[in-house]
Amino acid sequence: MRCSIRHYLRTSVALIFLWLFTILQIPEKNEDVKNVVINHGSKNSRSLDDWKNITSKYLKEIHQRRKTWLTVGITSESRQGQNGLLDTLASLYHASSTSEQRQMTVLVHLADSDPIWLGRTISHISSLYKPQILTGQLLLIHAPPDAYPTVTNVQKEMSQGQIYSKQNVDHAFLMSFATKLSTYFLLIEDNVFFAPSFVSHIRSNVIYRKPNTWVLLEFSNMGILGKLLHSRDLPLLAHFLLLFHKERPLSWLILHFRTLLAQQSPIFCRPFLFYHRLTHFTFENKTLIGQEKDAPALTSLTGTVYTDMRFSDIHSPEEAFTLDESFFWSYNVSTGNYLIVILNNPANLNRVQVRTGSIMDGKYILEKGQVELGYNPEGIPPNCTSFTLLGRLVHGQMDQIVLESVGYEVSCVKLAVNANQAGGLMIRHIYIWGENAKNRKDDQNDNDES
């Protein structure tokens, strides 16, 4: 199967895209760094042979350097008023020790043709990370604008295929360049927190698994974030992305590529090591950030989750009632749809928190919904026979202190949909603070007897 796919993909004329790199001009004060930043940099058209002559010499020099164990690949574009890439690099180096940094190469594709953004970004990175650049631990590349399909700069006017195309071609460049840099390749986004010692955690997971038994390991279940591949598969994947760059989004193509190479089921490696950071800093989001910093206290409350919404095996309802970074995913929900946690034992609750939508960009929130507390469960499986309204979601979120009068002997916590909603819905978590009502009664009885 692998050989036949490789033979088919190599016939693609899209291979010409993979050679279009030249030297990028950067400020004179960082002249030493200029030789390790690669880019188109010229508005003059060149033949394919010209590009191959220019890039093959430089690629040979890069690939003759010491091969590392891991390449961390990032594609980044300009976002008005935001420095996600710089924050991501800061988190990456902060979360890795000196010995871990020697094991990895960080490869950043600056995938925006805006010369002002390019110059500013390169200047910032080269001033902050000049030692890493000069030692080859950090590489910056830039693909030529004429390698892309013609698209408008206005996102709302772009067709779905054009949006797919840009992202897929961006990452085809990234993966093609990363092929010989290391043994493994980790795909990351440009607005991410890194867990401490993430390189060591990834290495331990790889060592634990038998060689040649996997194509893709996933250290996050969010989109393309935290996907680990063998570098030897990158040319094949790059060709695959270019063949179908208008057909499907990148996340779908990567998972389909995995199945084509005979890994049918996903392999999630927990705990997850990468987390999106919030990019829209409105007043409401600042409030939510402050609340998110306080990790929820662990409780002994357990229960079963049911829903009448659509879902897949990858993002099941139970993912909404866990303390890790997993989440429940559905789409095209309707008024009256629900997700309900039925506690194994009634509990006295004092706080309920519901988080929906992506932390990174605020998408996929539950636009109109409410949380209800239920009592007196009956039937098999049990369901509560009466409910009371706890509160409505605001911008897809809720963090509510529960009064004793309504939080007493609660058996169900129900998230209800109040309006039809097209598109995706992400329920990140439902956290519940409280104690088992039976334990409370036993304590009171002991006190009364004494």
Side-chain angles (χ1 to χ4, degrees), residues 121-138:
T121 301
I122 293 164
S123 179
H124 287 163
I125 293 177
S126 58
S127 62
L128 291 170
Y129 301 105
K130 185 173 181 178
Q132 287 86 352
I133 291 177
L134 292 177
T135 58
Q137 292 180 347
L138 173 59

Side-chain angles (χ1 to χ4, degrees), residues 40-46 115 146:
H40 177 260
S42 172
K43 295 182 180 179
N44 299 325
S45 60
R46 298 173 183 258
D146 52 355

Side-chain angles (χ1 to χ4, degrees), residues 258-270:
R258 180 204 77 204
T259 60
L260 290 175
L261 295 191
Q263 181 189 323
Q264 299 302 319
S265 301
I267 302 176
F268 291 106
C269 301
R270 301 175 187 270

Side-chain angles (χ1 to χ4, degrees), residues 218 221-223 252 255 258 264 266 268 270 305 307-320 326-333 339 424-427:
E218 302 186 50
N221 60 355
M222 303 184 75
W252 188 94
L255 296 183
R258 180 204 77 204
Q264 299 302 319
F268 291 106
R270 301 175 187 270
V305 185
T307 187
D308 62 350
M309 304 180 200
R310 307 171 187 177
F311 65 92
S312 67
D313 293 336
I314 298 178
H315 301 294
S316 63
E318 290 79 10
E319 301 286 288
S326 58
F327 59 88
F328 169 68
W329 174 266
S330 185
Y331 60 95
N332 294 345
V333 295
L339 184 141
L425 169 64
M426 177 189 296
I427 302 176

Side-chain angles (χ1 to χ4, degrees), residues 186-205:
L186 176 69
L187 185 58
I188 292 294
E189 297 177 54
D190 69 345
N191 216 335
V192 172
F193 288 110
F194 290 73
S197 304
F198 70 93
V199 176
S200 298
H201 285 295
I202 293 173
R203 181 182 278 275
S204 64
N205 270 277

